[in-house]
Amino acid sequence: MPRPPRVSPDRILAAAAAEFAERGFAGARVDRIARRARVNKAMLYYHFGSKQALYRTLLRQTFAEAAGRLGAVASGPGTGPAKVAGAIAAFAAFIQERAFFPAIMLREVAEGGSRLDRETLAALAGVPRAFFGILAEGVARGDLRAVHPLVAYFSALSPIVFFLAADPIRQELGNTHLTKLRGLTSDEFVRQIQDAMRLSLAPHPQKR
Amino acid sequence: MPRPPRVSPDRILAAAAAEFAERGFAGARVDRIARRARVNKAMLYYHFGSKQALYRTLLRQTFAEAAGRLGAVASGPGTGPAKVAGAIAAFAAFIQERAFFPAIMLREVAEGGSRLDRETLAALAGVPRAFFGILAEGVARGDLRAVHPLVAYFSALSPIVFFLAADPIRQELGNTHLTKLRGLTSDEFVRQIQDAMRLSLAPHPQKR
DNA sequence: GTCTATACTTCGATAGAC
DNA sequence: GTCTATCGAAGTATAGAC
């Protein structure tokens, strides 16, 4: 006998994700989140207590799941280069399921994490930690070059976050004819980042 | 005979840069900007008209200067690889002079540019345009590989923006012992990104 | 759990004197 | 150009009935 689904909290979280991504914490409006979720505003406070608690709940869940996906790649099988490519793919796939993620990530980095509690910060830290684990294992095994982990981490993931988050602004620039470029799908972009990482992390010079 | 310097507008712009970077447009407070600039709030409105006009003025100036720096590299002398490295260095140097830039850039991308007028968007578009020019020239001359310009652009600049913007959050994570890493200076980071780009844009396989 | 009505606060912006 | 005082809108949050 299935438990009755807590539709309200889940709908509120989904609505909050969209609103916070579009407007940021300060720009988000509780009324708008409630309306998007088709619940009464009082219900939102009943379930989450405050705007900030809602925000933290959303981010903690999201970060934890992202870290979980990368952690699964890290503890799975495969060579170092394959795991790096797998981590990039997993991260990109996660983002594409949760289109709100890049914008929120960008905003939270800009904010310096000032609004996050310890638990949420810990969830966020799980993302780089999983990636660093892959790098360390590969270096120990000798199939990855020992670059500084932060360099590899930011080289691999930040272009993806940025590229996907910048989609609206690219549209806008394209529409006003300020720039013209051959289209590039997200999948192509991700593949190219994987290739670039493979090259820059290869332990020995290699043929292209 | 030197014109009297318009200290108020300049001080207001500097204060606005800090405030907008820390809190975003919606989170920024006009009162706080005025206080930081040590001017009366009415003066701020006298000079800039509205919070949004102030914001746009700041971003237009900043984007235009960033584009100008990259444009100078693009139209200057040097091989393709040297110009790419030069553009990365110029961009990093610009950011380090204007510490507020990464956070504002991140926020504006997250925002989808929705708050920018046409002129400010045009200024922003000058940044990738200069970078694309360097790439096209190098490809035509045969000393750069023809990767998609967007991939090169995001690979080169977004890690730098992210790394520098994430400094506060790294401090916080480090302080709460959630992660431990050997330090990495901004200069080292930039140099490594230059190296990675040199590798991934080399027209032929090369020794490391 | 759900809703209406509203208290309380903050903030952008301006009026108007100097 | 500069300042004080304040308006009016908008926003978070809650009280209290059902």
Side-chain angles (χ1 to χ4, degrees), chain A residues 8 40-43 46-47:
Chain A
S8 283
N40 191 281
K41 182 169 56 159
M43 277 309 296
Y46 174 78
H47 284 299

Side-chain angles (χ1 to χ4, degrees), chain A residues 7 11 31 39 50 64 71 77 91 105 111 121 125 130 137 150 166 179 205:
Chain A
V7 296
R11 277 224 311 273
D31 289 273
V39 301
S50 73
F91 187 75
M105 192 78 206
E111 208 82 13
L121 277 170
E137 187 197 35
L150 279 176
T179 184

Side-chain angles (χ1 to χ4, degrees), chain A residues 50-199:
Chain A
S50 73
K51 182 184 179 182
Q52 193 170 101
L54 170 60
Y55 185 73
R56 287 177 175 173
T57 302
L58 170 69
L59 264 63
R60 196 166 50 243
Q61 284 187 9
T62 305
F63 291 153
E65 193 182 334
R69 303 263 193 118
L70 290 200
V73 174
S75 59
T79 65
K83 281 189 179 185
V84 169
I88 293 172
F91 187 75
F94 177 73
I95 285 184
Q96 273 160 344
E97 291 165 36
R98 316 263 184 136
F100 65 87
F101 183 74
I104 286 187
M105 192 78 206
L106 256 44
R107 291 183 195 277
E108 207 42 56
V109 170
E111 208 82 13
S114 57
R115 202 156 12 240
L116 304 184
D117 52 16
R118 195 188 153 73
E119 196 182 349
T120 308
L121 277 170
L124 171 58
V127 174
R129 186 187 303 123
F131 197 85
F132 295 161
I134 293 175
L135 295 174
E137 187 197 35
V139 169
R141 199 196 297 172
D143 58 8
L144 288 180
R145 192 161 65 103
V147 304
H148 194 291
L150 279 176
V151 175
Y153 176 69
F154 281 104
S155 298
L157 300 192
S158 69
I160 294 177
V161 173
F162 238 99
F163 177 80
L164 293 175
D167 192 55
I169 215 169
R170 267 199 310 284
Q171 300 294 333
E172 190 141 1
L173 289 178
N175 291 341
T176 43
H177 305 290
L178 292 171
T179 184
K180 287 243 154 77
L181 275 181
R182 172 171 77 75
L184 179 65
T185 69
S186 309
D187 288 348
E188 284 172 322
F189 187 87
V190 171
R191 220 169 306 130
Q192 299 225 28
I193 296 296
Q194 288 176 316
D195 284 348
M197 292 308 294
R198 185 172 45 74
L199 270 178

Side-chain angles (χ1 to χ4, degrees), chain A residues 13-33:
Chain A
L13 278 172
E19 176 77 3
F20 285 131
E22 280 172 29
R23 320 236 180 195
F25 180 82
R29 296 295 165 245
V30 174
D31 289 273
R32 213 155 27 208
I33 294 174

Side-chain angles (χ1 to χ4, degrees), chain B residues 117-205:
Chain B
D117 53 15
R118 194 188 155 70
E119 195 182 349
T120 309
L121 277 170
L124 171 57
V127 175
R129 186 188 302 122
F131 198 85
F132 296 161
I134 293 174
L135 295 173
E137 187 196 36
V139 169
R141 197 197 297 173
D143 58 9
L144 288 180
R145 193 161 64 102
V147 305
H148 194 290
L150 279 176
V151 174
Y153 176 68
F154 281 104
S155 299
L157 301 193
S158 67
I160 294 177
V161 174
F162 238 98
F163 177 80
L164 292 176
D167 190 54
I169 214 170
R170 265 198 313 283
Q171 300 296 333
E172 190 140 4
L173 290 178
N175 290 342
T176 44
H177 305 290
L178 293 170
T179 184
K180 289 241 154 83
L181 275 182
R182 175 171 74 77
L184 179 66
T185 69
S186 310
D187 288 348
E188 283 173 322
F189 186 87
V190 170
R191 221 169 304 131
Q192 299 226 27
I193 296 296
Q194 288 176 318
D195 285 347
M197 291 309 294
R198 185 173 46 75
L199 270 177
S200 75
L201 292 180
H204 307 295

